[in-house]
């Protein structure tokens, strides 16, 4: 067999040769983040109904189903071909499989008589592989590994390697007319040998994919060949999720291309209302195409930005404000801490924030909705603020599929595996009115404790993984550390709220459940990145769900009395009252060039200037006010001003 052909073939059951439909092509490994995956079927006769069939995807690791796709209602085309895959595959798939859903292998794709409901896969492991009602199956991989367990169960003797020609992302596995397989350039939607009726493909195009309420959207429809016989007439729809018929007006949803022509244009008029409904996504879905016409691309998503978004009076972590958002601390909430010190102080703090008579535990599914409110971008209520990457992203871009590219998701600041609470709560959201009782020993509740969960860029979340802060992870390159104090105060909270969680110095082994580092870094970050209004706002909101607060946001100095240099000294809330100095001290100009003025205080004070990474570069005592000559490189710095027992930190830019 020539080297460019697939090196082995698939051995069918004896009844496969007479099957009405077989798996004709698989493309599991595609460029980038796997947005072009598909599976193609071929029927012996054209226009064959797939009612009663189901595609099932099996994982070799546990020989169980990881996904099932019901084929009821689908019909093969005039060439007996139909394919299912990602929305970006062209020609457009008959049915959509979410991005990055098909695993690269070693795994098996199988065709059964049955329904998707016969194969459980939401909770792993799913339904075990079986030969019962099996019609066709292909073992596939892109490495030397072979799914031997699945092959034994399903009677497969050869595994198809998509990377047989060392071009795995550029090639697909394709069935030949003799029933064997080869790998070559993908051919979705057509016979693999190039034979068959040539179809007229309809393409949909737009000048851009993002629009604002009130704008008009020209949609162009183009055929690959001139229309013949009679005028081409078909319909399309736009409704999708919250994008409804009242979001557009005066739009003709019928397309007509005259005989001899190849193109026409329809215009969508977006309605500009006066309420903030949130950003939405319009879905262009071409329907009811006449015989001989096929969609080249379909199910096109168009982002519609709502121009009525709300802007808050406080800033983002990257442009922080202080003292605008007042803490909603219940009267007497922290009174029992007064005068306590050391372990007694820590224990009483736990008694408050883990009080089983008051505190509520929610589900991991609820976290999605908590973060969509708690982590809103103050400059645009239709976005969340992504902590590590220090940038906003549309709330709409919450990750729902397996791909974490271009989306945001839920980041555990205290990693699940290291906290011992992986999968500890339900992934089903049941709302603010449904909760479970909890206490300090309820470690599984940490899985969905919103005080240590943040909205984060999906890819950066994976990069951080379960690494310790400071000693191992310091965010993406070029970040300004606007999140440093936030993670420190979250970890301080977790180490008090839950028995069994501790903070230690250095970079402890990930295998030690319950430990996180680096404590020294976290204590520094607590001072150099002070709590701001964004953090206070989310503390207030999370309280409405969990009925507990993060005390290290309300009183950041508590960290030094429980974890730091003031351990063993009596606590008094007056020691940590930051509002007076925050309201009085003035640091200017900002941006600064040659000098910096600190004023607004009385008596002896101290000013310290740190780099954004926490390196002390200047320290000076002064009385009442001072002008400091600067000899610093351009960049962002933290200016910490201390007056008596009070201190505050401001961010400045030096040019």
């Amino acid at each position: 067999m020539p080297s460019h052909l697939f090196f082995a073939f698939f051995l069918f059951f004896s009844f496969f040769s007479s099957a009405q439909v077989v798996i004709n092509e698989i493309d599991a490994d595609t460029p980038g983040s796997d947005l072009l995956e598909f599976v193609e079927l071929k029927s012996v006769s054209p226009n064959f109904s797939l009612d009663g069939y189901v595609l099932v995807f099996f994982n070799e690791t546990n020989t169980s189903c990881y996904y099932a796709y019901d084929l009821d209602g689908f019909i093969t085309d005039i060439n007996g071909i139909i394919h299912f895959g990602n929305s970006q595959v062209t020609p457009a798939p008959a049915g959509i499989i979410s991005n990055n859903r098909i695993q690269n292998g070693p795994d098996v794709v199988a065709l059964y008589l049955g329904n998707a409901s016969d194969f459980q896969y939401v909770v792993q492991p799913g339904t075990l592989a079986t030969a019962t009602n099996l019609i066709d199956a292909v073992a596939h991989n892109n490495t030397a590994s072979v799914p031997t367990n699945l092959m034994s169960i399903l009677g497969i003797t050869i595994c198809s390697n998509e990377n047989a020609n060392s071009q795995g992302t550029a090639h697909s596995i394709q069935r030949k007319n003799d029933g064997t397989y080869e790998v070559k350039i993908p051919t979705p939607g057509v016979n693999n040998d190039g034979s068959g009726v040539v179809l007229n493909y309809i393409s949909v195009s737009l000048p851009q994919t993002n629009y604002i309420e009130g704008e008009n959207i020209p949609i162009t429809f183009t055929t690959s060949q001139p229309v013949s016989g009679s005028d081409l007439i078909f319909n399309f729809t736009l409704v999708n999720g919250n994008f409804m018929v009242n979001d557009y007006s005066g739009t003709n949803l019928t397309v007509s291309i005259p005989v001899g022509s190849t193109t026409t244009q329809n215009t969508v008029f977006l309605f500009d209302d006066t309420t903030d409904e949130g950003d939405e996504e319009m879905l262009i879905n071409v329907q009811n195409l006449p015989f001989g016409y096929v969609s080249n691309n379909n199910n096109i998503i168009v982002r519609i930005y709502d121009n009525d978004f709300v802007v808050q009076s406080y800033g983002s972590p990257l442009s922080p404000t202080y003292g605008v958002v007042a803490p909603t601390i219940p009267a007497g909430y922290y009174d029992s801490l007064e005068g306590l010190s050391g372990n007694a102080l820590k224990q009483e703090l736990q008694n408050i924030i883990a009080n089983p008579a008051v505190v509520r535990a929610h589900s991991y599914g609820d976290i999605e909705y908590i973060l969509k409110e708690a982590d809103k971008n103050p400059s645009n209520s239709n976005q969340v603020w992504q902590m590590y990457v220090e940038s906003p992203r549309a709330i709409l871009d919450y990750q729902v599929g397996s791909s974490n590219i271009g989306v945001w998701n839920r980041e555990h600041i205290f990693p699940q595996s290291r906290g011992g609470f992986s999968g500890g709560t339900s992934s089903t959201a049941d709302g603010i009115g449904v909760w479970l009782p909890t206490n300090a020993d309820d470690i599984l509740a940490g899985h969905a404790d919103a005080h240590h969960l943040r909205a984060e860029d999906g890819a950066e979340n994976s990069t951080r993984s379960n690494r310790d802060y400071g000693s191992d992870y310091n965010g993406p390159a070029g970040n300004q550390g606007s999140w440093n104090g936030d993670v420190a105060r979250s970890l301080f909270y977790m180490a008090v709220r839950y028995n069994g969680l501790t903070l230690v110095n250095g970079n402890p082994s990930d295998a030690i459940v319950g430990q996180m580092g680096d404590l020294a870094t976290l204590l520094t970050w607590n001072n150099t990145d002070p709590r701001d209004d964004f953090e206070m706002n989310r503390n207030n909101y999370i309280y409405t769900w969990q009925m507990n607060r993060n005390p290290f946001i309300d009183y950041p100095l508590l960290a030094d009395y429980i974890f730091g240099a003031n351990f063993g000294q009596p606590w008094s809330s007056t020691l940590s009252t930051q509002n007076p100095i925050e309201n009085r001290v003035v640091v200017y100009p900002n941006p600064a060039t040659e000098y910096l003025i600190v004023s607004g205080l009385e008596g002896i004070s101290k000013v310290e200037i740190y780099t954004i990474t926490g390196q002390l570069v200047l320290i000076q005592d002064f009385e009442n006010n001072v002008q400091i000559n600067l000899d610093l490189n351009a960049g962002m710095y933290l200016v910490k001003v201390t007056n008596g027992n009070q201190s505050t930190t401001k961010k400045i830019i030096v040019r």
Side-chain angles (χ1 to χ4, degrees):
M1 183 178 291
S3 60
H4 70 280
L5 297 180
F6 170 63
F7 65 85
F9 60 89
F10 177 81
L11 182 62
F12 292 103
F13 288 113
S14 60
F15 61 85
F16 283 5
S17 61
S18 60
Q20 288 294 306
V21 60
V22 295
I23 298 172
N24 199 50
E25 187 172 357
I26 303 170
D27 196 356
D29 188 10
T30 65
S33 53
D34 281 348
L35 304 182
L36 298 175
E37 303 169 336
F38 71 91
V39 174
E40 180 184 86
L41 304 180
K42 181 174 177 60
S43 60
V44 174
S45 56
N47 307 315
F48 180 79
S49 172
L50 296 176
D51 288 350
Y53 289 86
V54 58
L55 269 175
V56 184
F57 301 80
F58 290 112
N59 185 291
E60 166 65 9
T61 302
N62 51 25
T63 66
S64 71
C65 169
Y66 71 85
Y67 186 56
Y69 195 92
D70 205 306
L71 302 180
D72 288 347
F74 292 104
I75 300 174
T76 62
D77 65 16
I78 191 173
N79 293 313
I81 295 293
I82 189 170
H83 64 293
F84 306 88
N86 304 158
S87 60
Q88 295 186 33
V89 174
T90 56
I96 300 299
I97 296 175
S98 61
N99 295 338
N100 200 26
R101 196 68 173 90
I102 304 174
Q103 298 177 1
N104 291 341
D107 293 313
V108 166
V109 179
L111 180 68
Y112 284 88
L113 286 174
N115 298 292
S117 58
D118 299 330
F119 297 88
Q120 185 276 127
Y121 63 89
V122 175
V123 178
Q124 288 294 314
T127 303
L128 295 176
T130 175
T132 303
N133 294 324
L134 180 66
I135 300 299
D136 194 10
V138 177
H140 66 96
N141 63 12
N142 63 353
T143 65
S145 299
V146 175
T148 54
N149 295 319
L150 286 171
M151 293 169 66
S152 175
I153 295 170
L154 301 177
I156 306 171
T157 59
I158 298 297
C159 176
S160 304
N161 188 346
E162 191 172 345
N163 196 39
N165 297 333
S166 299
Q167 299 185 62
T169 59
H171 284 177
S172 67
I173 300 168
Q174 302 179 30
R175 186 179 189 271
K176 298 195 296 183
N177 293 330
D178 63 4
T180 61
Y181 283 79
E182 63 182 340
V183 292
K184 60 180 184 179
I185 300 297
T187 60
V190 298
N191 287 328
N192 296 333
D193 61 3
S195 65
V197 177
V198 177
L199 301 173
N200 199 342
Y201 291 101
I202 300 173
S203 298
V204 182
S205 59
L206 302 89
Q208 58 196 58
T209 57
N210 299 320
Y211 290 86
I212 301 172
E213 281 186 347
E215 294 184 333
N216 299 331
I217 306 177
I219 306 176
T220 302
F221 300 88
T222 306
T223 58
S224 58
Q225 305 170 47
V227 174
S228 61
S230 60
D231 293 350
L232 170 61
I233 299 176
F234 61 90
N235 299 321
F236 65 98
T237 61
L238 302 173
V239 171
N240 179 49
N242 293 330
F243 187 84
M244 308 297 289
V245 293
N246 58 351
D247 289 314
Y248 59 91
S249 62
T251 300
N252 182 10
L253 300 182
T254 298
V255 176
S256 179
I257 303 179
V259 171
S261 299
T262 59
T263 187
T264 192
Q265 187 177 92
N266 289 37
T267 301
V268 174
F269 303 94
L270 297 176
F271 181 67
D272 186 6
D273 56 29
T274 58
T275 60
D276 182 24
E277 300 167 316
D279 298 336
E280 298 168 324
E281 289 184 327
M282 182 179 79
L283 177 69
I284 303 175
N285 177 242
V286 173
Q287 299 180 328
N288 304 320
L289 291 176
F291 178 80
Y293 292 92
V294 177
S295 289
N296 186 54
N297 60 333
N298 200 6
N299 298 305
I300 299 170
I301 295 289
V302 182
R303 179 68 55 84
I304 311 299
Y305 290 114
D306 196 318
N307 57 7
D308 301 301
F309 57 82
V310 177
V311 178
Q312 297 293 341
S313 59
Y314 59 90
S316 72
L318 203 57
S319 302
T321 58
Y322 305 92
V324 176
V325 177
T328 56
I329 305 171
Y333 191 72
Y334 294 115
D335 285 359
S336 60
L337 302 180
E338 295 297 308
L340 298 180
S341 62
N343 290 327
L345 175 63
K346 180 180 179 182
Q347 181 59 58
E348 184 56 28
L349 190 58
Q350 183 186 72
N351 293 343
I352 296 171
I353 64 176
N355 185 349
V358 176
V359 180
R360 301 171 179 177
H362 289 276
S363 72
Y364 191 49
D366 287 322
I367 292 297
E368 172 189 345
Y369 300 96
I370 294 175
L371 296 184
K372 285 178 178 179
E373 184 63 37
D375 286 5
K376 277 184 177 179
N377 176 19
S379 298
N380 187 328
S381 58
N382 297 324
Q383 301 172 340
V384 292
W385 184 263
Q386 301 171 116
M387 183 172 62
Y388 301 139
V389 297
E390 301 177 316
S391 64
R393 175 161 279 148
I395 289 176
L396 273 177
D397 291 328
Y398 176 73
Q399 181 179 341
V400 293
S402 55
S403 173
N404 63 5
I405 305 300
V407 295
W408 66 274
N409 55 26
R410 298 163 289 190
E411 156 72 332
H412 285 88
I413 292 175
F414 203 120
Q416 297 186 61
S417 59
R418 300 186 64 175
F421 41 72
S422 296
T425 65
S426 171
S427 293
T428 301
D430 45 27
I432 193 171
V434 179
W435 68 87
L436 292 173
T438 185
N439 56 54
D441 292 322
D442 182 17
I443 192 65
L444 294 181
H447 179 244
D449 193 318
H451 283 303
H452 86 119
L453 280 146
R454 292 290 291 263
E456 188 49 64
D457 172 75
E460 187 61 29
N461 190 345
S462 296
T463 297
R464 187 261 161 154
S465 186
N466 59 358
R467 296 154 65 187
D468 290 294
Y469 294 100
S471 57
D472 191 4
Y473 180 75
N474 288 280
N479 83 93
Q480 298 184 37
S482 64
W483 49 272
N484 289 354
D486 301 52
V487 300
R489 289 179 282 274
S490 291
L491 290 177
F492 296 151
Y493 163 87
M494 292 294 286
V496 173
R497 165 67 174 88
Y498 297 98
N499 291 331
L501 301 186
T502 59
L503 302 177
V504 299
N505 287 317
N507 186 12
S509 169
D510 293 0
I512 304 176
V513 176
Q515 283 192 3
M516 276 291 292
D518 170 39
L519 177 58
T521 297
L522 298 174
L523 288 167
T524 298
W525 284 358
N526 183 47
N527 291 319
T528 57
D529 177 34
R531 68 104 196 275
D532 54 27
D533 288 315
F534 182 90
E535 202 175 354
M536 184 60 75
N537 178 73
R538 77 185 312 274
N539 196 21
N540 291 344
Y541 182 72
I542 292 169
Y543 175 77
T544 66
W545 281 75
Q546 297 186 180
M547 302 307 292
N548 72 348
R549 299 181 63 82
N550 183 339
F552 300 99
I553 295 175
D554 293 331
Y555 294 111
L557 195 59
L558 263 173
D560 292 327
Y561 283 76
I562 293 178
F563 300 100
N566 297 111
F567 183 85
Q569 298 179 19
W571 166 259
S572 172
S573 59
T574 58
L575 298 173
S576 192
T577 303
Q578 294 187 340
N579 281 336
I581 190 173
E582 287 181 355
N583 293 338
R584 289 183 286 124
V585 70
V586 179
V587 178
Y588 67 97
N590 190 11
T593 51
E594 299 177 352
Y595 65 90
L596 187 71
I597 295 175
V598 181
S599 64
L601 300 175
E602 296 180 357
I604 301 298
S605 302
K606 178 175 65 176
V607 60
E608 299 164 273
I609 300 181
Y610 294 85
T611 66
I612 200 67
T613 59
Q615 179 184 0
L616 179 65
V617 294
L618 185 149
I619 183 170
Q620 184 172 333
D621 293 327
F622 67 96
E623 186 171 359
N624 299 333
N625 56 72
V626 65
Q627 176 173 314
I628 302 170
N629 295 325
L630 299 177
D631 184 17
L632 300 173
N633 294 327
M636 177 174 284
Y637 292 84
L638 302 170
V639 180
K640 181 179 180 181
V641 182
T642 302
N643 179 260
N645 291 321
Q646 301 177 44
S647 65
T648 186
T649 303
K650 308 287 186 179
K651 291 182 180 179
I652 65 164
I653 299 293
V654 174
R655 290 177 175 172

